[in-house]
Amino acid sequence: MKSEEKWPPLSPTLPERAEQRTYTVLDLQREEPDSYAYLRAYWKIISKRRWTILTVALVVITLVAIYTYKKKPVFRATAEVEVNSETPQVQSVNDLYQSVPTDPAFLQTQVDVLNSDNLAWQTIQQLKLDRDPAFNPLASLHRPAPAEKLSARQTRLIGVFRKALHVELVTGSRMIKVSFESTDPRLAEKVANTLVHNYREYNFLTKYDATRQASGWMEDQLDELKAKVKKSQRALVDYERQNSIVNIGGKVNMQEQRLADLSQDLTVAQNDLAEKQALYQLVEANPGKVGLLSQDSLLENMEEKYADLKTSYVNALGQYGPNFPEVVRLRDQINEIRSLIKQEQKLAVERIAHNYQASLGRVKLLAASVEREKVKAGNLNQLMIQYDLLQHEFKTNQQLYDNLLTRVKDASVSAGLRANNVQIVDRALAPSVPVSPRKRLNLAIALVVGLALGTALAFVREVMDTSIKTAEDVERSIAEPVLGVIPSIRSLDQSKPWFRRRRDGAADGKVEWAVLKHPTSALAESYHTLRTAVLLSSAPRPPQALLVTSTQPAEGKTSTAFNLAIGLTQIGRKVLFIDADMRQPGLKRTMDASGHAGLSSVLTGAGKLEEALFQLPDLPNLWFLSAGPQPPNPADLLSSRAMEELLASLRGRFDHLVVDTPPVLMVTDATVLSPFVDGVILVTESQVTGRAALARTHRILEGSRAKIIGCVLNKLDLRHDGYYGSYYRYYGRYYSQDSRGKGLARQRQVTEPAQSADKRGA
């Protein structure tokens, strides 16, 4: 403990508190969005969770490798058959060489036949596969099964057989590949060839049995058809005899020709009647024009002569008078010719009427003849219908009988022919190279699947992770500025080459002394950045009393507060570090203050302030006030009037007060103490502090009217943050170039402007 003369005098008045600085959020977003931002975000997640992805991939590859190398090699023997089009069931000799188009449904049916249980069981029984250990692993334990278990045993063996059988239809052809897999190559060859042979025999026997069955049925039908032919022929002969039919075909033709001629004459007569009827009606309506209408030359000449005489009469009458002999003669001639014209007109009208009546009678006679011929033709047609039915029945029965007789004879010949539409193209050979396991392919697929599963698991973990990771997450959660970003020691060590790891920074694990013992490290520089941000956080002067707290324990608030205090002493400020965490003091052992009086002693009156304060040996401007003995009611002491007066007295002695308090969500110590300070710094741990917990802490501090000046993002993993990672790597290279003492000079060059800036701010 120093002498009392070195202490600054107590000031009875409280200094003016600094105003809280207002932050303006600048919108630095580009006018055009970044098209590849989502790709970088995906890559960041993959890089962050790379060990999860690699672990899952390694597990999958290991399991697949164990399965692949422990599995017995499997061999596949393949036989090829050609399936031609299906020929008729009852074959003739010519049908054997006819080419019928192949139906795709027919080929697919043949594939299904090869996969049928019937052929499988026939092959199993023929080769006695149930006793072969290569096919049936239970063959060595084989015992005669009871009758009630034979069906289950058969089903199991057929299932094993079909699992090893592969039938494939070659696209665009009539070729079918039949493959069988087994651990014994000889067995695979034997099964494939036997199955193909059984399929060929099945195909032939099916058609042979169908032919024999059809032949027997046709022989039975042949007798019935023979009786029908005789019966229909007898009925036809009887009908001809009853109706005196000798040459019915000639009669039909003659009757049809006569009816056609009469119909044609009737049509001509009707047309002539229509013309004469029209002329008769015109003449009756205009008898004076009968000569013109009937085109009678005599009447026309007489009418012309009448017109000439009348003209001469008119001329003579005008010249000589009515009594002139010539005039009288012309008058007599006119009267005479007029009388002749009327007489001729009457005769012409009678002649037209007579012609009309004659044409009408002719039409009636022809119509009656046509009706009579129609009746005769109808009777003849009725006779022909029955005759045609009898004749058609006879011819049909005769044709069916002839065709059936021909097919019966052909069937008797074709049933003995061993014709088959299935031809074996290639017989199966014993394979020398196994088809499975395909080790390289299995491992490659395992690698791809493992990486895919690992990536999916990484994204699921990322989605389920609601912790704070970056400074942007902090600002989005509580809308407070981030004063500083403190990298984690592990990320600083892992981000360097292997030959330079654990040589600088806080490699010894003492993060509290990073600024003092490693002033040129990247970790110390992050605390220097925090110091500058704190000094410039408010106007018109920097905050004097600072409270450092966190959301939950072990987030690094004590190391942050202590390094901030050391950083403030490096610019010439007199700083007091107050350990207000009376429940779990963070620096009690580090400062070796277990035997000294502390904050609790001063507040309860058990000790004096001068006895509780002590100065660090290596830092003349840094003073320390420990938490002291643990009291039963720490929150009551921190919210008391004595605590407020203590802080007021310490403001006059020191340039800055840095108060370390417990987490906000655990106890209320920081909440009740926050109104007594100029600013609160909230420390959050990257990838640990939850967004909801941080927001809850912020609401609690705002409810207590605390002046939050910002947050500190602590223990940031630089390996997963591209921006800060590149920044600190560049900073590490910057100092590594002057590792022989030039780094200290550069530190002074950086510190002096900061000191001048801090003095201007003060």
Side-chain angles (χ1 to χ4, degrees):
M1 185 69 184
K2 302 285 184 178
S3 61
E4 295 183 1
E5 288 79 4
K6 295 183 179 181
W7 292 100
L10 291 171
S11 175
T13 59
L14 293 175
E16 180 182 0
R17 288 190 176 186
E19 297 292 336
Q20 186 173 1
R21 185 170 182 174
T22 303
Y23 291 89
T24 302
V25 180
L26 297 179
D27 187 6
L28 300 179
Q29 185 179 5
R30 293 183 176 181
E31 295 181 359
E32 297 182 359
D34 190 356
S35 302
Y36 301 98
Y38 67 96
L39 293 177
R40 287 192 291 270
Y42 292 157
W43 176 251
K44 184 177 179 180
I45 295 174
I46 293 174
S47 177
K48 177 182 176 182
R49 306 286 184 179
R50 61 183 181 274
W51 291 115
T52 300
I53 298 174
L54 294 177
T55 301
V56 173
L58 181 60
V59 170
V60 173
I61 291 175
T62 302
L63 295 177
V64 172
I66 294 174
Y67 169 79
T68 299
Y69 284 95
K70 292 186 68 175
K71 183 181 179 181
K72 292 183 179 180
V74 177
F75 297 88
R76 175 183 292 181
T78 303
E80 292 188 6
V81 296
E82 178 186 2
V83 181
N84 296 315
S85 303
E86 184 65 62
T87 53
Q89 289 184 346
V90 180
Q91 301 174 353
S92 64
V93 177
N94 294 328
D95 291 337
L96 297 176
Y97 305 99
Q98 291 180 355
S99 177
V100 182
T102 305
D103 185 11
F106 169 73
L107 294 177
Q108 184 60 43
T109 303
Q110 302 308 306
V111 173
D112 296 337
V113 170
L114 283 166
N115 281 312
S116 63
D117 294 346
N118 184 22
L119 288 180
W121 183 243
Q122 182 180 354
T123 305
I124 292 172
Q125 289 183 321
Q126 186 174 350
L127 297 178
K128 299 180 180 180
L129 296 179
D130 54 337
R131 303 179 183 179
D132 193 336
F135 175 80
N136 183 16
L138 303 178
S140 59
L141 304 176
H142 177 70
R143 296 291 185 275
E148 64 273 7
K149 294 185 179 180
L150 287 177
S151 59
R153 177 169 170 268
Q154 179 180 353
T155 303
R156 179 178 61 81
L157 292 175
I158 292 176
V160 175
F161 185 91
R162 295 187 62 178
K163 186 177 180 181
L165 178 65
H166 301 277
V167 181
E168 178 185 1
L169 176 62
V170 180
T171 306
S173 68
R174 298 192 297 267
M175 301 293 294
I176 298 179
K177 292 184 177 181
V178 182
S179 304
F180 192 83
E181 295 181 355
S182 175
T183 56
D184 185 1
R186 295 293 180 183
L187 179 63
E189 173 193 5
K190 189 186 303 183
V191 172
N193 291 327
T194 304
L195 179 65
V196 169
H197 176 75
N198 292 338
Y199 164 67
R200 194 169 185 272
E201 289 294 324
Y202 164 82
N203 186 274
F204 170 77
L205 290 176
T206 301
K207 292 190 295 183
Y208 180 81
D209 293 341
T211 303
R212 294 299 302 169
Q213 183 179 1
S215 178
W217 177 83
M218 287 187 295
E219 289 176 355
D220 296 337
Q221 295 295 321
L222 193 62
D223 296 336
E224 297 181 6
L225 282 176
K226 186 176 181 180
K228 288 182 179 180
V229 169
K230 291 181 179 180
K231 183 179 180 181
S232 60
Q233 187 177 15
R234 186 181 301 109
L236 180 63
V237 171
D238 294 342
Y239 187 78
E240 290 177 349
R241 185 182 302 110
Q242 292 174 3
N243 295 277
S244 300
I245 298 175
V246 178
N247 186 12
I248 194 168
K251 290 183 178 181
V252 172
N253 295 334
M254 185 182 299
Q255 184 67 33
E256 291 177 352
Q257 183 64 34
R258 185 175 181 182
L259 180 61
D261 294 340
L262 288 174
S263 298
Q264 185 177 4
D265 294 341
L266 178 62
T267 302
V268 173
Q270 288 175 346
N271 293 335
D272 182 65
L273 175 63
E275 293 177 358
K276 291 180 179 180
Q277 183 179 2
L279 179 61
Y280 176 72
Q281 291 175 353
L282 289 174
V283 169
E284 281 188 342
N286 301 288
K289 297 181 180 181
V290 62
L292 178 63
L293 295 174
S294 63
Q295 296 181 354
D296 191 345
S297 59
L298 180 60
L299 279 175
E300 291 178 354
N301 293 332
M302 293 176 68
E303 288 176 352
E304 289 179 357
K305 187 174 181 181
Y306 174 77
D308 293 340
L309 290 175
K310 192 173 183 179
T311 303
S312 299
Y313 173 76
V314 171
N315 292 333
L317 181 63
Q319 184 177 4
Y320 301 108
N323 297 320
F324 188 74
E326 183 65 22
V327 173
V328 172
R329 186 181 62 79
L330 290 173
R331 185 183 305 119
D332 294 338
Q333 290 181 354
I334 290 173
N335 292 332
E336 183 180 1
I337 198 168
R338 182 186 300 168
S339 175
L340 292 174
I341 289 174
K342 289 183 178 180
Q343 185 179 359
E344 187 64 26
Q345 287 179 346
K346 184 177 180 181
L347 293 174
V349 170
E350 291 178 354
R351 189 167 53 251
I352 291 173
H354 177 73
N355 292 334
Y356 168 67
Q357 293 297 330
S359 179
L360 180 61
R362 184 169 180 269
V363 167
K364 291 181 178 180
L365 291 175
L366 288 174
S369 299
V370 169
E371 291 298 327
R372 288 193 298 272
E373 293 299 327
K374 285 184 178 180
V375 172
K376 292 180 180 180
N379 295 333
L380 184 60
N381 289 335
Q382 291 293 331
L383 185 66
M384 286 299 299
I385 290 173
Q386 185 64 25
Y387 180 78
D388 290 340
L389 290 175
L390 293 174
Q391 189 178 27
H392 178 71
E393 182 180 2
F394 169 70
K395 290 182 179 180
T396 302
N397 292 334
Q398 183 69 34
Q399 185 178 5
L400 289 175
Y401 178 79
D402 294 340
N403 293 337
L404 188 59
L405 182 61
T406 302
R407 287 186 174 272
V408 169
K409 293 180 179 180
D410 288 341
S412 61
V413 176
S414 61
L417 298 177
R418 196 174 177 81
N420 203 330
N421 62 331
V422 177
Q423 304 297 329
I424 300 177
V425 179
D426 291 328
R427 296 183 61 84
L429 300 177
S432 58
V433 179
V435 294
S436 68
R438 302 173 65 178
K439 300 178 181 178
R440 294 184 179 179
L441 179 61
N442 291 351
L443 294 179
I445 295 176
L447 177 60
V448 174
V449 173
L451 292 176
L453 292 177
T455 303
L457 180 61
F459 277 92
V460 169
R461 292 186 60 186
E462 187 68 21
V463 171
M464 299 300 293
D465 187 5
T466 60
S467 62
I468 298 295
K469 302 177 184 63
T470 62
E472 289 76 12
D473 293 343
V474 176
E475 294 175 351
R476 282 194 295 265
S477 299
I478 61 175
E480 294 289 347
V482 177
L483 302 176
V485 177
I486 312 300
S488 64
I489 300 176
R490 183 178 181 182
S491 65
L492 284 173
D493 188 52
Q494 294 294 329
S495 62
K496 299 174 184 178
W498 62 271
F499 54 84
R500 293 190 57 225
R501 292 179 182 175
R502 307 194 66 83
R503 295 185 180 182
D504 59 356
D508 54 359
K510 302 294 184 180
V511 185
E512 296 84 356
W513 303 96
V515 175
L516 181 62
K517 295 184 178 181
H518 307 282
T520 61
S521 64
L523 186 61
E525 178 60 23
S526 63
Y527 287 116
H528 293 160
T529 304
L530 172 62
R531 177 194 64 193
T532 304
V534 170
L535 294 176
L536 299 176
S537 62
S538 61
R541 61 177 184 173
Q544 184 178 10
L546 297 171
L547 185 145
V548 182
T549 185
S550 63
T551 300
Q552 54 192 4
E555 289 186 312
K557 60 177 180 57
T558 301
S559 59
T560 301
F562 193 68
N563 280 288
L564 175 61
I566 296 176
L568 291 173
T569 61
Q570 290 179 345
I571 59 174
R573 303 296 178 89
K574 181 176 289 187
V575 181
L576 173 62
F577 183 86
I578 303 176
D579 189 357
D581 190 353
M582 301 179 186
R583 305 172 190 271
Q584 291 183 355
L587 298 178
K588 185 173 182 180
R589 294 183 179 180
T590 303
M591 298 300 179
D592 193 17
S594 57
H596 295 272
L599 179 61
S600 60
S601 303
V602 175
L603 295 178
T604 57
K608 296 182 179 181
L609 179 61
E610 290 76 5
E611 296 176 354
L613 292 174
F614 68 92
Q615 186 178 15
L616 297 182
D618 298 333
L619 296 171
N621 290 333
L622 181 60
W623 298 76
F624 179 72
L625 176 59
S626 65
Q630 183 176 357
N633 52 349
D636 295 340
L637 292 179
L638 294 177
S639 62
S640 63
R641 180 64 180 175
M643 183 64 188
E644 185 177 5
E645 293 177 353
L646 176 62
L647 291 177
S649 64
L650 293 175
R651 287 175 182 269
R653 294 187 178 186
F654 298 95
D655 296 327
H656 295 283
L657 304 178
V658 180
V659 184
D660 180 26
T661 60
V664 175
L665 296 183
M666 304 299 294
V667 293
T668 61
D669 297 3
T671 305
V672 299
L673 189 58
S674 59
F676 300 153
V677 297
D678 298 334
V680 177
I681 299 176
L682 186 59
V683 179
T684 61
E685 183 177 355
S686 176
Q687 301 182 18
V688 174
T689 305
R691 294 187 179 93
L694 180 61
R696 176 63 178 168
T697 302
H698 185 262
R699 287 195 298 269
I700 291 174
L701 292 176
E702 281 189 336
S704 64
R705 295 179 297 174
K707 303 176 182 63
I708 304 175
I709 63 175
C711 295
V712 176
L713 183 61
N714 196 28
K715 302 180 184 179
L716 177 68
D717 195 344
L718 301 180
R719 295 170 295 177
H720 307 316
D721 192 287
Y723 173 76
Y724 290 104
S726 60
Y727 170 78
Y728 284 110
R729 283 193 293 271
Y730 171 78
Y731 183 81
R733 292 195 300 269
Y734 176 76
Y735 273 100
S736 64
Q737 294 175 359
D738 295 310
S739 59
R740 294 184 179 180
K742 294 183 180 181
L744 296 175
R746 288 199 178 119
Q747 183 194 9
R748 288 194 298 269
Q749 293 175 3
V750 174
T751 305
E752 289 174 359
Q755 292 176 352
S756 61
D758 296 337
K759 292 178 180 179
R760 287 195 302 270

